[in-house]
mmCIF file of all heavy atoms in Angstrom:
data_model
loop_
_atom_site.group_PDB
_atom_site.id
_atom_site.type_symbol
_atom_site.label_atom_id
_atom_site.label_comp_id
_atom_site.label_asym_id
_atom_site.label_seq_id
_atom_site.Cartn_x
_atom_site.Cartn_y
_atom_site.Cartn_z
ATOM 1 N N CYS A 1625 136.130 112.317 186.565
ATOM 2 C CA CYS A 1625 136.898 113.444 185.994
ATOM 3 C C CYS A 1625 136.780 114.687 186.939
ATOM 4 O O CYS A 1625 135.728 114.927 187.538
ATOM 5 C CB CYS A 1625 136.327 113.791 184.600
ATOM 6 S SG CYS A 1625 136.608 112.465 183.382
ATOM 7 N N GLY A 1626 137.883 115.443 186.995
ATOM 8 C CA GLY A 1626 137.918 116.577 187.877
ATOM 9 C C GLY A 1626 137.263 117.837 187.393
ATOM 10 O O GLY A 1626 136.714 118.631 188.152
ATOM 11 N N SER A 1627 137.273 118.068 186.063
ATOM 12 C CA SER A 1627 136.731 119.338 185.521
ATOM 13 C C SER A 1627 135.843 119.039 184.302
ATOM 14 O O SER A 1627 135.810 117.940 183.799
ATOM 15 C CB SER A 1627 137.888 120.230 185.081
ATOM 16 O OG SER A 1627 138.654 119.610 184.095
ATOM 17 N N GLU A 1628 135.161 120.095 183.864
ATOM 18 C CA GLU A 1628 134.255 119.987 182.750
ATOM 19 C C GLU A 1628 135.042 119.703 181.462
ATOM 20 O O GLU A 1628 134.621 118.873 180.613
ATOM 21 C CB GLU A 1628 133.430 121.244 182.600
ATOM 22 C CG GLU A 1628 132.209 121.126 181.719
ATOM 23 C CD GLU A 1628 131.092 120.369 182.409
ATOM 24 O OE1 GLU A 1628 131.182 120.150 183.659
ATOM 25 O OE2 GLU A 1628 130.118 119.959 181.757
ATOM 26 N N SER A 1629 136.141 120.388 181.286
ATOM 27 C CA SER A 1629 136.938 120.155 180.033
ATOM 28 C C SER A 1629 137.516 118.739 179.991
ATOM 29 O O SER A 1629 137.621 118.135 178.913
ATOM 30 C CB SER A 1629 138.085 121.183 179.994
ATOM 31 O OG SER A 1629 138.961 121.032 181.089
ATOM 32 N N GLU A 1630 137.859 118.188 181.130
ATOM 33 C CA GLU A 1630 138.370 116.820 181.181
ATOM 34 C C GLU A 1630 137.265 115.807 180.770
ATOM 35 O O GLU A 1630 137.565 114.826 180.112
ATOM 36 C CB GLU A 1630 138.872 116.487 182.564
ATOM 37 C CG GLU A 1630 139.640 115.131 182.677
ATOM 38 C CD GLU A 1630 140.117 114.897 184.055
ATOM 39 O OE1 GLU A 1630 140.069 115.788 184.911
ATOM 40 O OE2 GLU A 1630 140.569 113.744 184.305
ATOM 41 N N LYS A 1631 136.030 116.099 181.185
ATOM 42 C CA LYS A 1631 134.922 115.228 180.786
ATOM 43 C C LYS A 1631 134.697 115.286 179.295
ATOM 44 O O LYS A 1631 134.428 114.268 178.628
ATOM 45 C CB LYS A 1631 133.668 115.638 181.546
ATOM 46 C CG LYS A 1631 133.719 115.388 183.011
ATOM 47 C CD LYS A 1631 132.436 115.855 183.691
ATOM 48 C CE LYS A 1631 132.468 115.621 185.188
ATOM 49 N NZ LYS A 1631 131.239 116.033 185.886
ATOM 50 N N GLU A 1632 134.798 116.509 178.683
ATOM 51 C CA GLU A 1632 134.538 116.637 177.269
ATOM 52 C C GLU A 1632 135.625 115.942 176.455
ATOM 53 O O GLU A 1632 135.331 115.477 175.331
ATOM 54 C CB GLU A 1632 134.474 118.098 176.908
ATOM 55 C CG GLU A 1632 133.250 118.836 177.463
ATOM 56 C CD GLU A 1632 133.184 120.285 177.006
ATOM 57 O OE1 GLU A 1632 134.189 120.722 176.358
ATOM 58 O OE2 GLU A 1632 132.186 120.948 177.331
ATOM 59 N N LYS A 1633 136.816 115.793 176.932
ATOM 60 C CA LYS A 1633 137.934 115.231 176.202
ATOM 61 C C LYS A 1633 138.186 113.781 176.615
ATOM 62 O O LYS A 1633 139.228 113.185 176.204
ATOM 63 C CB LYS A 1633 139.209 116.032 176.426
ATOM 64 C CG LYS A 1633 139.130 117.459 175.906
ATOM 65 C CD LYS A 1633 140.394 118.225 176.232
ATOM 66 C CE LYS A 1633 140.332 119.684 175.741
ATOM 67 N NZ LYS A 1633 141.557 120.446 176.084
ATOM 68 N N LEU A 1634 137.303 113.157 177.391
ATOM 69 C CA LEU A 1634 137.529 111.829 177.910
ATOM 70 C C LEU A 1634 137.683 110.799 176.781
ATOM 71 O O LEU A 1634 138.586 109.925 176.856
ATOM 72 C CB LEU A 1634 136.361 111.432 178.834
ATOM 73 C CG LEU A 1634 136.423 110.003 179.388
ATOM 74 C CD1 LEU A 1634 137.577 109.833 180.351
ATOM 75 C CD2 LEU A 1634 135.097 109.691 180.107
ATOM 76 N N LEU A 1635 136.881 110.926 175.729
ATOM 77 C CA LEU A 1635 136.896 109.946 174.656
ATOM 78 C C LEU A 1635 137.740 110.357 173.459
ATOM 79 O O LEU A 1635 137.842 109.615 172.474
ATOM 80 C CB LEU A 1635 135.464 109.691 174.171
ATOM 81 C CG LEU A 1635 134.444 109.277 175.237
ATOM 82 C CD1 LEU A 1635 133.055 109.099 174.591
ATOM 83 C CD2 LEU A 1635 134.841 108.010 175.933
#
Side-chain angles (χ1 to χ4, degrees):
C1625 295
S1627 61
E1628 196 76 13
S1629 61
E1630 188 179 350
K1631 293 180 181 180
E1632 291 182 355
K1633 297 177 181 179
L1634 177 66
L1635 307 179

